[in-house]
Amino acid sequence: MSHLMEMVNGTFSYNSLDNIFEDINFEVEKGDVFCILGANGAGKTTLIKCLNGLMKLSSGKVLLNGKNIYGLNHSQIARNIGYIPQIHNSTFSFTVLDVVLMGRAPHLDIFSSPSKKDVKIAENSLKALNIYYMRDKPYTEISGGEQQLVFIARILTQEPDILLLDEPTSHLDFGNQIRTLNIIEKLAKNGLCVVMSSHFPDHAFISSNKVAIMKGKNFIDIGTPEEVITEENMEKAYGIRVKIADIDYRRACIPLKIK
């Protein structure tokens, strides 16, 4: 039986000499939130881009419902996979609704305009994230946290099965980080599969059911957050000591002060 998405022996190099990562293997299904942890430069962003064909593996495969994504065109990939990069600034004064409507592009013919049905799907995405009230605001005039929500709404409007997020909380304040994680968890409960990279091990305890740690061109561990986010693994990955503690209803990863 094929998995929703699978990477098989994934290896990537920019110059055919030095691999950024090599022999990466994992699979994800509907409802999974798979969090890839690792220090700066570990290759997380490159790996995410290889999952939707923006970059091509040097060797190995990315399979979508058992089909190699390199045999699919851009529109076919976009109907199945939504992607939010780390930075997505817009200099155009589109309204929030216009930005969200762009998510319908993979479903439209090249010369056709969005239909009433497309507008309805976009409006429902805004309502699902409780930001319908800002539908007519210029995208450039809303805050960074609001822009992140608008981009998630745009991806929901795309109606994919898989959502790829490259460090979705790294530019957000404390409150918006947690709100974004709660939305990710809610989307997964509704059947979406989420693959995300993160700098924050603690966030994996909040929203993820699968975690991998990238270091030295490979995954040094993969499994549940409780199995993978250990004091020993965190010291290996980040070079600092941490304390794993049980707080109320979840575990937490607390960095210790460097002496």
Side-chain angles (χ1 to χ4, degrees), residues 24 43-44 55 61 77 128 136 148 168-169 174 187 227 235:
I24 297 284
K44 302 186 301 294
M55 301 178 97
K61 293 183 286 190
I77 292 172
D136 297 318
Q148 181 80 307
T169 58
F174 195 55
L187 295 176
E227 291 166 343
E235 188 162 354

Side-chain angles (χ1 to χ4, degrees), residues 109-138:
D109 295 329
I110 194 163
F111 295 116
S112 61
S113 298
S115 65
K116 284 184 181 177
K117 178 192 169 189
D118 294 314
V119 173
K120 190 76 177 168
I121 291 169
E123 288 178 339
N124 285 342
S125 297
L126 289 168
K127 287 173 184 173
L129 299 179
N130 296 318
I131 53 171
Y132 183 78
Y133 66 91
M134 63 173 76
R135 71 193 288 275
D136 297 318
K137 283 189 178 181

Side-chain angles (χ1 to χ4, degrees), residues 35-38 44 165-169 196-201 203-204 238:
C35 182
I36 303 166
L37 298 171
K44 302 186 301 294
L165 302 171
D166 190 8
E167 296 185 16
T169 58
M196 69 180 197
S197 61
S198 180
H199 276 310
F200 305 109
H203 289 182
Y238 297 102

Side-chain angles (χ1 to χ4, degrees), residues 90 92 94-108 114 122 151 154-155 157-158:
S90 173
F92 301 103
F94 293 113
T95 66
V96 163
L97 182 62
D98 285 339
V99 171
V100 173
L101 255 177
M102 290 174 193
R104 295 305 296 162
H107 301 273
L108 302 175
F151 249 72
R154 177 173 133 170
I155 295 301
T157 301
Q158 197 174 313

Side-chain angles (χ1 to χ4, degrees), residues 4 10 13 15 20 25 28 39 44 64 80 105 121 124 129 139 150 153 159 166 192 194 212-213 215 231:
L4 178 59
S13 170
N15 56 17
I20 302 297
N25 292 276
V28 285
K44 302 186 301 294
L64 184 61
N80 289 278
I121 291 169
N124 285 342
L129 299 179
Y139 176 77
V150 170
E159 296 185 314
D166 190 8
L192 201 65
V194 179
I213 301 173
K215 182 176 172 63
E231 292 171 6

Side-chain angles (χ1 to χ4, degrees), residues 194-239:
V194 179
V195 180
M196 69 180 197
S197 61
S198 180
H199 276 310
F200 305 109
D202 201 46
H203 289 182
F205 283 128
I206 296 173
S207 62
S208 305
N209 66 319
K210 291 183 178 178
V211 179
I213 301 173
M214 279 191 93
K215 182 176 172 63
K217 304 181 184 180
N218 210 304
F219 288 164
I220 61 169
D221 206 350
I222 185 168
T224 67
E226 289 73 23
E227 291 166 343
V228 171
I229 302 173
T230 64
E231 292 171 6
E232 184 184 3
N233 276 344
M234 293 299 95
E235 188 162 354
K236 273 187 205 169
Y238 297 102

